[in-house]
Structures are given as C-alpha cells and as structure tokens.
C-alpha cells in the first residue's frame, strides 16, 4: 500500500475552508471529482439549489492549486465556477441580464469580504424553443455564469459563502429570513 500523499499546507487550508461553511438550507453541496489536468492539486464541489422541492439551479466550484504559481492567476490558488439556472422567459430575454448576472457574482464576493484578484468570466443567456416530440414549455430561458478568480489568501470560507449567495441569486431565492409573498399561507392553512 502506498504511503499517503502529503498535501501542501495552503491547499489543505483552502479545502478546509470550503468544507467548513454551511450554506442556506435550499442549497445542497457535495464533493465531486475534480479535473486532474488543470493543476497539480484540485478539489471540487457540486451544488443543487431547490425551491419548493424543485431543482432551480446547479453549480460547480473547483479549487485549483499550483505551488509554483501561475502568472495569469496572479497567485497559487484559483477558484473556477460554473452556475446555471432556468429563468422566466421575459427575464432571460432582458438585454441587461448578463451585466446583472456578473454583478450577482462580484457583489456576492464583496458582501462576504472574499478578497480576490484577476477575476474574469462570461455570462450567457439563452432562449430555447421546443418542437416535435420534446415535451415541455414552448419556450424556456437559461442563464449560465462561468468565472474564475484568485483568492488573496488561503481561507476560502468567505469565498464559499459568496458562491452560495451567487447560487441563491441565480435561482431567484429571497434573501435569508425573507419569505416571498407567494410562499405565505394564511393562518390555519395546511
């Protein structure tokens, strides 16, 4: 049996930070296999966001670590994310949606004081119309956010909480502690 491989301290602390935070109840996190060719060390989480029992958004957050550093990263750690959600057709058609989607990411990181640099990414909005044997609503819209950034230190707890806030915003969840009016039931209702 091979001896256990010692992980670099910075990577081990970063993974511990990602594992330490508890997201809001609508978000389920699961450790998944990370891509092995992007960096010498990698860790990944997958997320599912539920609203009223329905899956409304999914995401993946990947931590990459190269102890030698990477010039484009401006550091040794890099976070990469992919988030997607189905949207109402009128929202998905809004030409301002990409800018709003990008703000969801940057505001979420800033609100958690998740210090970062070298941030970049794309926001894609799509409209799909189904025909023939494909059952479902006639037109659906989606948003997809792909981004990466370099954390300024190896405590990634704030980054995970920021990423969870991005997931919640993308899924259209109300802020924590706020009940959407459509979710309120009259007293005594089952």
């Amino acid at each position: 049996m091979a001896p256990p491989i010692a992980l670099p301290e910075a990577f081990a602390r970063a993974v511990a930070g990602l594992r330490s935070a508890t997201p809001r109840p609508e978000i389920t996190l699961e450790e998944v296999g990370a891509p092995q060719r992007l960096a010498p060390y990698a860790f990944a989480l997958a997320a599912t966001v539920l609203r009223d029992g329905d899956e409304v958004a999914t995401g993946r957050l990947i931590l990459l670590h190269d102890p030698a550093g990477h010039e484009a990263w401006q550091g040794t750690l890099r976070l990469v994310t992919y988030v997607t959600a189905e949207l109402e057709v009128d929202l998905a058609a809004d030409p301002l949606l990409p800018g709003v989607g990008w703000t969801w990411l940057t505001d979420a990181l800033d609100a958690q004081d998740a210090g970062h640099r070298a941030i970049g990414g794309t926001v894609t909005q799509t409209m799909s119309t189904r025909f023939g044997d494909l059952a479902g609503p006639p037109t659906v819209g989606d948003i997809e956010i792909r981004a990466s950034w370099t954390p300024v230190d190896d405590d990634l707890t704030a980054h995970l909480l920021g990423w969870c806030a991005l997931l919640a915003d993308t899924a259209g969840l109300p802020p924590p502690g706020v009940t959407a009016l459509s979710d309120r039931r009259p007293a005594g209702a089952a």
Side-chain angles (χ1 to χ4, degrees):
M1 183 147 93
I5 297 172
L7 297 175
E9 285 184 39
F11 180 71
R13 279 192 302 271
V15 169
L18 292 176
R19 287 177 171 156
S20 71
T22 302
R24 56 191 285 177
E26 301 94 337
I27 301 173
T28 302
L29 299 180
E30 169 185 11
E31 291 184 25
V32 294
Q36 298 301 308
R37 290 180 251 184
L38 300 176
Y41 301 92
F43 175 81
L45 292 170
T48 303
V49 184
L50 300 177
R51 184 177 56 227
D52 299 326
D54 294 325
E55 182 178 297
V56 291
T58 60
R60 184 170 284 224
L61 182 67
I62 301 167
L63 167 64
L64 303 174
H65 177 58
D66 187 341
H70 196 288
E71 187 177 331
W73 296 357
Q74 299 176 21
T76 62
L77 295 171
R78 189 77 172 164
L79 288 166
V80 180
T81 190
Y82 169 79
V83 173
T84 186
E86 191 172 300
L87 299 174
E88 294 176 17
V89 174
D90 57 339
L91 183 58
D94 190 329
L96 300 177
L97 179 63
V100 171
W102 187 253
T103 301
W104 289 337
L105 171 62
T106 57
D107 285 356
L109 293 173
D110 291 345
Q112 294 296 325
D113 292 324
H116 60 277
R117 61 178 165 259
I119 191 170
T122 62
V123 177
T124 305
Q125 65 194 105
T126 60
M127 300 285 289
S128 299
T129 304
R130 299 174 184 183
F131 297 95
D133 290 341
L134 291 177
T139 303
V140 294
D142 294 291
I143 184 169
E144 175 185 286
I145 300 170
R146 294 178 184 259
S148 63
W149 64 93
T150 299
V152 296
D153 62 39
D154 57 20
D155 180 358
L156 300 187
T157 305
H159 292 268
L160 180 71
L161 293 172
W163 182 64
C164 287
L166 167 65
L167 286 161
D169 286 344
T170 305
L173 298 180
V178 174
T179 302
L181 291 177
S182 61
D183 293 344
R184 296 198 58 183
R185 292 187 178 95

